[in-house]
Amino acid sequence: MRIAPLALAATLALPTLAQAADAGPISAARLSADVKVLADSKLAGRSPGGPGEAATLAYIVSQFKAAGLKPAGDKGGWTQAVPLIRFTVAADPKFSLTAGGKTQALAETQQIMAWTQRPTDRVAIENAPLVFVGYGVTAPERGWDDFKGVDLKGKIAVILINDPDFEAQAGEPVAGKFGGKAATYYGRWIYKFEEAARRGALGALIVHETAGAAYPWSTVVASNGESFDVVRPDPAAIHPLLQGWIQRDIAVDLFKAAGLDFEAQKTAARTAGFRPVPLIGASFSAELGVRTARLMSHNVLAQIPGGKRPGESVMFGAHWDAFGIGPADATGDTVRHGAIDDGMGVAGVLEIARAFAHGPRPDRTVVFGVWTAEERGLLGSEYYAQHPTFPLATTAGNLTLDVVQTAGAAHDVVLVGAGQDSLEADLAKAAARQGRSITPDPHPEKALFYRADHFSVAKRGVPTILIMGMAAGHDLVKGGREAGDRWVNDYTTRCYHQVCDNWSPDWDLTGAAQDIDLLYVVGRDLANSTRWPDWNAASEFKPIRAHTKALRK
Ligand SMILES: [Zn+2]
């Protein structure tokens, strides 16, 4: 699409920061200036397809152009059109469970949250049988298959949250097989719905447990029956007709009526020999109206073509979208500015692009993806991964910034997804050159590694590094870990996805510039090398990458 030039860009002036030092070519003042524009109320909280999209894209494109980059989008342009579809469950959906000869209506938001991601205007399920499929995992590299060929056609799969290792006791054969408490992709609700669809299930219901999900029932309800997807040629391939969650006590009663003990079944599901258990005498019915709406949004894609091996690439990414307009805060502001999440990441990608543009031409092509609809389910990056400008098999690595801390210089950088791939060693080396060190994300059970845009290409095999400044407190030069934790707590409780996530002249972007410089250095060295980083042996993504090895020299 063609984009009108934006007045905002022309009037950009570098704000003076209270305190900030640059790191290598990364300028703290320019980071601040970019975020100030992106967080401006004129961009209306940057919702995908919303009133601020055109101006947001125009600003990002203007900065890539000014730095001298080349476009890498559709038909030689700067953007990639991303067709999205929004699903809204109409008021008063009806759900019921029959078990032990009794039929019980399930109240939406109280006992069940369920929706569809099939393009349909009505879902009707009548007395479908239910089958408990344990954790719903197929992991050949771990010798694991919860389904054992069970026929799920016309049936509802009832699935446990997290992976079989999450509650394993020491000495159980499963202990350690799925990385202990640390989350794996197999523990994620998205994986479970997709796998149930691949196994032919009519519907999939996950049993909500707060510890395993890492969030309370209220978070499940917060979706408000609204969900998004990219427009897909075959949505049925990865979306069952109905997908959702039920509360744990509903599952306990359901199992009891079928003559089963929920906890005993959970324990049985922690063995590789587990076989699906039909819930005898139980069935599930649902009737809901669905409204679907198409909207068009866009990724921004820029490149610096490689001088020696342009067919090989290294990719940087961040997401431009935020949460649009929401409820007013105490000051009456309704714009969810998305300054730190992920205005800071976009600013970081722009600074890295400028650094490459001013340096010698890299051997490999360097690609910059600024994604839409991350907050709607990693959709812009997912669409790119389905329709890549540069083949993923020859994308050497993806380096992603999602939330960068604004609390000042730090002795360390927090790495989400530590232990996954060989890029971690490159990051450690680059950090050492800055006199800093890596701190692995202390809460891998929160599954942050599966919740940012790098994941769209990671699950297709591209090795990645994710910097996510809110994963844990940094060891700040001023105030140490305690001050770092205080920043994270304050940001997550007060500002994350809220109106309060706004630009501030009081930020100290010294640490942000250091983190962004780290990613620049790792990416630059990779772009000037012939190396193909790989996943570690224990990673769930290693087999996928191995599959495409023949395409790399
Ligand atoms: Zn984000």
Side-chain angles (χ1 to χ4, degrees):
M1 80 183 249
R2 273 190 67 84
I3 298 158
L6 177 71
L8 275 173
T11 59
L12 174 66
L14 296 186
T16 38
L17 293 179
Q19 42 189 335
D22 297 346
I26 307 300
S27 152
R30 280 193 301 266
L31 290 172
S32 177
D34 284 328
V35 177
K36 191 177 182 197
V37 174
L38 293 166
D40 195 291
S41 294
K42 286 176 195 156
L43 301 191
R46 309 192 306 273
S47 81
E53 172 161 340
T56 303
L57 301 179
Y59 179 72
I60 296 166
V61 169
S62 74
Q63 298 307 303
F64 281 134
K65 263 189 196 166
L69 273 72
K70 298 257 183 314
D74 294 336
K75 298 183 188 121
W78 292 93
T79 61
Q80 175 179 46
V82 179
L84 299 174
I85 180 163
R86 182 178 60 221
F87 306 88
T88 313
V89 175
D92 267 334
K94 303 266 181 283
F95 303 102
S96 66
L97 265 181
T98 299
K102 271 182 278 180
T103 298
Q104 175 199 7
L106 296 181
E108 194 203 25
T109 75
Q110 310 293 312
Q111 296 164 317
I112 186 169
M113 279 305 284
W115 62 95
T116 190
Q117 289 197 322
R118 297 259 193 99
T120 177
D121 55 8
R122 184 171 168 270
V123 172
I125 293 174
E126 224 183 299
N127 295 320
L130 297 127
V131 182
F132 174 57
V133 296
Y135 289 89
V137 169
T138 310
E141 79 284 5
R142 288 162 166 88
W144 201 274
D145 173 15
D146 281 329
F147 296 91
K148 309 282 193 303
V150 68
D151 177 15
L152 291 175
K153 198 162 179 280
K155 298 175 189 168
I156 308 295
V158 178
I159 312 170
L160 298 169
I161 189 60
N162 218 300
D163 65 38
D165 203 354
F166 181 69
E167 290 181 47
Q169 315 297 318
E172 283 184 22
V174 69
K177 225 174 182 171
F178 288 82
K181 285 253 182 259
T184 58
Y185 182 36
Y186 303 113
R188 303 282 301 144
W189 57 272
I190 292 175
Y191 166 80
K192 293 174 190 293
F193 291 146
E194 293 188 3
E195 188 61 17
R198 285 190 284 267
R199 297 302 180 129
L202 176 65
L205 293 172
I206 297 174
V207 180
H208 179 266
E209 296 186 272
T210 300
Y215 42 77
W217 178 254
S218 57
T219 303
V220 174
V221 174
S223 69
N224 211 10
E226 187 181 80
S227 66
F228 288 77
D229 196 10
V230 296
V231 173
R232 297 174 188 273
D234 184 12
I238 61 158
H239 298 309
L241 178 62
L242 189 80
Q243 58 192 45
W245 298 76
I246 53 173
Q247 289 260 45
R248 182 181 179 279
D249 58 349
I250 300 294
V252 170
D253 291 349
L254 170 66
F255 277 55
K256 203 171 176 185
L260 300 167
D261 178 72
F262 178 71
E263 283 303 322
Q265 288 301 316
K266 259 181 80 173
T267 306
R270 295 205 298 261
T271 56
F274 168 84
R275 305 190 74 84
V277 183
L279 300 178
I280 305 290
S283 67
F284 174 80
S285 298
E287 173 132 26
L288 46 146
V290 183
R291 286 193 308 274
T292 56
R294 299 279 186 122
L295 53 132
M296 191 58 86
S297 190
H298 301 80
N299 293 326
V300 180
L301 286 160
Q303 62 169 316
I304 296 178
K308 287 190 184 152
R309 289 183 302 285
E312 303 173 4
S313 60
V314 173
M315 162 169 268
F316 291 89
H319 68 91
W320 65 254
D321 68 304
F323 271 93
I325 306 294
D329 70 357
T331 70
D333 189 1
T334 57
V335 178
R336 290 180 282 193
H337 302 272
I340 291 175
D341 179 16
D342 188 25
M344 277 299 302
V346 175
V349 166
L350 292 175
E351 264 304 88
I352 291 170
R354 292 173 189 127
F356 269 103
H358 287 126
R361 187 168 183 177
D363 293 349
R364 287 168 161 165
T365 297
V366 183
V367 186
F368 301 87
V370 187
W371 315 118
T372 182
E374 188 273 352
E375 305 286 13
R376 310 299 186 187
L378 317 181
L379 298 179
S381 55
E382 168 67 21
Y383 190 82
Y384 176 84
Q386 289 177 21
H387 307 90
T389 312
F390 303 91
L392 298 185
T394 47
T395 299
N398 170 292
L399 310 169
T400 291
L401 289 164
D402 196 350
V403 176
V404 188
Q405 62 95 349
T406 60
H411 295 299
D412 62 350
V413 58
V414 175
L415 177 64
V416 176
Q420 280 281 4
D421 64 47
S422 64
L423 285 170
E424 184 179 342
D426 300 353
L427 188 76
K429 255 184 252 161
R433 270 183 259 159
Q434 286 182 343
R436 300 164 78 214
S437 60
I438 287 184
T439 299
D441 168 14
H443 299 292
E445 74 282 4
K446 287 188 184 165
L448 293 176
F449 185 72
Y450 306 92
R451 290 160 63 181
D453 287 314
H454 69 293
F455 184 61
S456 295
V457 295
K459 72 178 182 188
R460 292 173 169 92
V462 179
T464 61
I465 287 282
L466 167 66
I467 301 279
M468 188 182 264
M470 61 182 283
H474 286 71
D475 181 6
L476 297 177
V477 170
K478 285 181 203 144
R481 184 84 57 199
E482 205 180 306
D485 284 340
R486 214 177 308 128
W487 183 89
V488 170
N489 286 338
D490 181 61
Y491 178 70
T492 47
T493 54
R494 238 165 32 86
C495 301
Y496 181 55
H497 294 173
Q498 308 293 322
V499 170
C500 146
D501 186 1
N502 204 352
W503 176 83
S504 166
D506 303 328
W507 286 345
D508 179 349
L509 298 184
T510 307
Q514 288 175 323
D515 286 357
I516 292 161
D517 181 58
L518 274 182
L519 226 55
Y520 165 62
V521 168
V522 170
R524 184 196 60 198
D525 291 352
L526 188 57
N528 290 319
S529 81
T530 55
R531 283 180 296 125
W532 296 104
D534 199 3
W535 298 94
N536 296 338
S539 170
E540 57 268 55
F541 309 112
K542 190 175 174 77
I544 310 163
R545 190 62 165 175
H547 193 67
T548 56
K549 190 164 187 201
L551 298 165
R552 298 181 291 278
K553 277 183 282 174

